[in-house]
Amino acid sequence: SVKAAIDAMPPPEKGGRKFAILGEMLELGKYSEAYHRDVGEYALDKVDVLYLFGEGCRPILECWKTARRPAFLYQDQEA
């Protein structure tokens, strides 16, 4: 469903960029790391900047940092 949401994002206006805000998928259990990484890899070609919420999103952050893409991980709502 996260991949479908990414695909449903409208294209940016000319010269614009796509920003996505993703929260961790707590329901994934033992598959959490693999599926978060999969979402991160999928988003690389579809989103320009990622904002991530929750420790479970760390595999996405690692994927994006390896690709030298801008992604930011937040642990609490205050941040």
Side-chain angles (χ1 to χ4, degrees), residues 20-54:
I21 301 169
L22 303 177
E24 63 185 313
M25 300 173 282
L26 297 172
E27 71 279 6
L28 297 177
K30 67 180 182 179
Y31 303 104
S32 181
E33 184 174 342
Y35 287 145
H36 279 91
R37 187 171 315 282
D38 185 50
V39 165
E41 291 171 357
Y42 186 80
L44 280 170
D45 294 331
K46 300 178 181 292
V47 177
D48 297 304
V49 181
L50 275 182
Y51 292 93
L52 307 164
F53 181 75

Side-chain angles (χ1 to χ4, degrees), residues 49-78:
V49 181
L50 275 182
Y51 292 93
L52 307 164
F53 181 75
E55 185 61 30
C57 289
R58 189 158 299 279
I60 299 172
L61 178 69
E62 292 169 0
C63 173
W64 274 58
K65 293 300 180 184
T66 298
R68 297 180 185 254
R69 300 289 306 282
F72 308 92
L73 178 65
Y74 298 94
Q75 299 295 330
D76 61 66
Q77 293 179 359
E78 293 295 320

